[in-house]
Amino acid sequence: MTMTHSGGQRRQFLKSALGATGALAGVPALSSLNRLVSNGRPPAGQGHGGYGPLFPAADLRDGVERIALPEGFHYRSFSPAGSFMSDGNRVPLAHDGMGVFNMQDGHFRLVRNHEDRNAPGAGTTALQANRSYDMKGGGGTTTVVVNPFTRQVESEFVSLSGTTVNCAGGVTPWGSWITCEETNVGPAIVANPWLKQHGYCFDVPASANGQVEAVAVPDMGRFAHEAVAVDPLTGIVYETEDLNPNSGLYRFTPSVAGQLAKGGRLQILGVKGRPTYDARTNQTVGVALETVWFDIANPNPAGTASNAVWLQGRAAGGCRFSRLEGCWWGNGALYFNDTNGGNAGAGQVWEYRPDSDGGTLTLIFESPNAAVLDAPDNLTVSPQEALLLCEDGGGDQYLRGVTLDGTIFDFGLNLQTDHEWAGAVFAEADPAWNDRKIRGSHQPLGGRWDRITLFVNRQGDTAGSNPPSAGNEGLTFAIWGPWKEGAL
């Protein structure tokens, strides 16, 4: 998921131009829209999906201009990597995939991945004997309790440890976050081996008030996991694989809905009547492909080969994607990104809609070049049923909105660094709790749109010491504003 970026000079130019007064303030964003038109892709203009030009915005935490947003939007950052949490531990490196939960006490809880890529024993997530999966694993999750009206942190703590390269994951209907390891490392004859095999999924209850026991789910597959999404009607868990250039889309049907550790059936997606279909290039937007599912005979093969599960799926007739990353459930369908897919290699956005035992696979957006959309990674479905994409490409990093009829628009720009966006998720506060003055923080709000917050991460460094060097720390942002004026 993590890439190396080198767009500092261009980012500084953009920041300077965005900060200009008068008409010049919107030039970079308008230029981006002009590039969309020149590439045959109509932008979602202001009031028709988009929110208009981007402007530098001051962080309400300290006044620093870290991101650019459309006019009228505000944000507050919190939980920088290296700062101390409520449990006395430091916030780990590499803020990545994330889920949000409305709790019974009225608060939001964020369960956040940390894609720590340090060597065995050198990670930054605090370990706990008898609860950590691998006492040399440095990744895991943290849980952050946020006041839904002030958008400020009230507590935070490690909730899973002993894993590694926790990239993305997904929320579940049973109130938990499934965190996924994007790696296949394991014990080997080396000077500093891992203690256990990795490449698994772990279920983390949002209600936990400390570290939970880390229990791997081998039946969900051992491969370079990226993200998952759960169909709330069936309990089926869909899984993406980040194994460039050969990746599959999988589904896991639990033996007992909501109890993953009891096992289940793993399958790979295929296109009906077209075995080993290649979806990476030469696809047509809007064409629905009939699909089938093929069994994976051995979801947990021995060894650390990165493609052992994929090769089984391919031999059975599975569909080939380039590099599947973010996915999310919404509108009765699964939406997912192929980060390097498409004829330009700049990214595809797909919809899978289940129907009986099959379903349809439809390309809803393909980037013609990196100026339009560059390597979409995590994504989420917005309250108005559009998609918000987190970029992980080269140079400037944008948050992009995509409507389901295939138009795209800019929503946010990282002004400080080239670190990717990750973990975008929307939450709506319960107005009843506003009336009850959560911990004395009563703030009257005008209606539903005022209660909606977008949470998103800037990843930051994925390896090295903690705290990281200044400016390279992971951060979480809360963003709010006039959502009803656009598609999100």
Side-chain angles (χ1 to χ4, degrees), residues 227-248:
V228 304
V230 183
D231 181 343
L233 296 179
T234 64
I236 291 174
V237 183
Y238 294 90
E239 310 174 47
T240 58
E241 179 178 31
D242 187 355
L243 183 65
N244 191 25
N246 302 312
S247 298

Side-chain angles (χ1 to χ4, degrees), residues 36 63 99 134 153 158 185 195 376 421 472:
L36 291 179
D134 181 336
V153 174
V158 176
V185 297
L195 301 180
W421 293 106
N472 288 304

Side-chain angles (χ1 to χ4, degrees), residues 4-14 394-397 417-418:
T4 300
H5 311 303
S6 57
Q9 290 183 336
R10 173 167 166 73
R11 185 179 63 258
Q12 184 58 46
F13 165 77
L14 281 174
D396 306 311
Q397 302 297 304
T417 73
D418 293 331

Side-chain angles (χ1 to χ4, degrees), residues 112-168:
R112 182 181 58 202
N113 276 7
H114 293 275
E115 193 185 321
D116 187 298
R117 291 178 173 268
N118 278 301
T124 60
T125 304
L127 300 166
Q128 185 173 326
N130 301 320
R131 295 206 174 264
S132 300
Y133 173 70
D134 181 336
M135 290 300 287
K136 288 191 177 181
T141 67
T142 53
T143 296
V144 187
V145 180
V146 179
N147 186 296
F149 304 107
T150 66
R151 282 106 174 177
Q152 296 193 60
V153 174
E154 297 197 349
S155 66
E156 55 184 332
F157 50 87
V158 176
S159 47
L160 183 94
S161 65
T163 53
T164 186
V165 194
N166 293 72
C167 196

